Amino acid sequence: MKIPYKHVLGALGVTLAVISLAPASALADPPTNANDALAQLHDASQKEESVGEQYNAAQSAYQARLADVQKANADLATDQQAEKQAKADEDRYRGDVDRWVSATTEGADLSSMSALLTGQSPSDFLDRAWMLQEVSQFNGDAMAGLDKALSKASDASKKAQQAQDKSNTAAAQAKQVADGLQAQKDAATQAEQAAQAAYNRLTGSQKTALASDKGQPFDTSNVPPGAAGIAVKAALGQVGTPYVYGGNQPGVGLDCSSLVQYAYRQAGISLPRVTTDQVNVGTPVSEADLKPGDLLFFGTASNVHHVAMFIGNGQIVHAPDVGQVVKVVPISGGGSDYYTSRRIVNS
């Protein structure tokens, strides 16, 4: 559970009670006061973020499975072509061998003695002997070629069958992910609608307070050089940008994971789009050893739903919730369900 609304509630002269982590329903009871309205928005926003990240992760998984299908099909086409060529070579060598076998079984005498007995002169014998040697060499090459072609055709056939199996498996996996994608999309849409409904219940002054709260002042003079420092400054440059669910436009609308993705992109480092993938990038780092540029993740092992960037001095910058803007808050302002931290670069 995140607690970024504390400062807003303080400005409004009310106190926010501890919020349950139970998901908000699209049919939540209407709030009876300003405190309830903010509480419902916070609960609904967290649910929206959590379900939305799961849906985005599923979309990424689906795209990855489609890429697997395309690669498997390309490999299959290559292996099938190799199998076709190997069988053509087999047929060619088999034809040569068959002609040789047919000639010998039909009485053709291909021995050196035959050349000696039928030759009209020593020169004629040498010519015939040389020709028989060439024929023998050709037949030997044909037999060796056939043996090699048979082995190659067998290997190519096995490879093509393996490629076919991989293609079938990839297609089945893609379908499995696709079958569950619509249900996750529906859940994400419902959560988004619930969060918007909760936001619509706020008073005008509450909405203004949320949108204008940029958090704590910050100092960039201690930001370290290197990629991490560039990312920190890029993220801080987005302070005041509205939180937009699924947003990916700097200066217009960002969500938590697109903010850190954008920030590190400015440093030339590519991060995945969603928190469930971002949490696997870099190396683990303890909360006590945080350095500017490190990423903090909130949620659980099975449901990492929020990410923020450490900027030093016990502060983080993040895109919080519906109705808010990118802001700087204490680490505790990221949420009470801190899970882990990752260092993206060691510079």
Side-chain angles (χ1 to χ4, degrees), residues 12-296:
L12 295 174
V14 293
T15 303
L16 178 60
V18 176
I19 309 301
S20 168
L21 286 177
S25 168
L27 301 176
D29 294 333
T32 58
N33 53 51
N35 185 45
D36 286 345
L38 284 170
Q40 285 188 5
L41 174 59
H42 177 56
D43 196 27
S45 294
Q46 188 176 53
K47 173 67 174 179
E48 175 194 43
E49 185 178 62
S50 176
V51 176
E53 288 295 281
Q54 292 176 34
Y55 171 59
N56 290 336
Q59 283 186 307
S60 296
Y62 180 56
Q63 293 302 319
R65 296 293 78 78
L66 288 181
D68 290 342
V69 171
Q70 292 177 342
K71 183 179 186 305
N73 287 340
D75 291 342
L76 174 59
T78 299
D79 291 337
Q80 286 177 332
Q81 182 59 39
E83 179 185 24
K84 182 179 179 181
Q85 182 61 51
K87 287 185 176 179
D89 291 343
E90 175 190 340
D91 290 342
R92 178 167 59 84
Y93 282 113
R94 189 183 296 279
D96 292 339
V97 171
D98 286 346
R99 283 190 292 275
W100 170 61
V101 171
S102 177
T104 55
T105 57
E106 289 176 2
D109 191 349
L110 302 179
S111 67
S112 297
M113 183 59 70
S114 171
L116 178 60
L117 294 175
T118 59
Q120 301 300 315
S121 67
S123 176
D124 188 30
F125 165 73
L126 291 175
D127 289 342
R128 289 170 180 263
W130 175 82
M131 183 176 295
L132 288 172
Q133 184 179 359
E134 290 297 308
V135 169
S136 177
Q137 178 65 42
F138 172 79
N139 293 335
D141 290 345
M143 287 296 293
L146 177 59
D147 183 64
K148 185 176 180 181
L150 286 170
S151 177
K152 189 174 181 180
S154 177
D155 290 343
S157 180
K158 290 178 182 177
K159 236 183 141 179
Q161 184 58 55
Q162 291 172 348
Q164 181 69 69
D165 293 342
K166 285 184 180 180
S167 177
N168 293 341
T169 298
Q173 290 176 339
K175 184 179 184 305
Q176 184 178 20
V177 176
D179 288 345
L181 203 56
Q182 187 59 50
Q184 288 178 297
K185 181 179 181 179
D186 292 342
T189 299
Q190 183 180 13
E192 181 182 9
Q193 291 172 345
Q196 186 61 49
Y199 176 75
N200 291 341
R201 297 189 190 107
L202 300 182
T203 64
S205 59
Q206 286 177 311
K207 292 176 181 178
T208 299
L210 287 176
S212 61
D213 180 16
K214 298 181 181 179
Q216 299 179 331
F218 53 88
D219 181 7
T220 61
S221 62
N222 294 323
V223 174
I230 293 173
V232 167
K233 289 182 179 179
L236 290 174
Q238 292 302 308
V239 168
T241 296
Y243 171 92
V244 173
Y245 170 72
N248 198 32
Q249 293 183 276
V252 177
L254 296 167
D255 60 20
C256 65
S257 53
S258 66
L259 171 65
V260 298
Q261 182 190 48
Y262 159 78
Y264 267 103
R265 187 164 60 240
Q266 307 317 298
I269 295 174
S270 177
L271 291 183
R273 175 63 179 85
V274 296
T275 56
T276 49
D277 291 330
Q278 291 173 350
V279 73
N280 297 316
V281 178
T283 57
V285 59
S286 70
E287 190 174 356
D289 294 325
L290 289 173
K291 293 181 179 180
D294 291 345
L295 302 183
L296 287 73

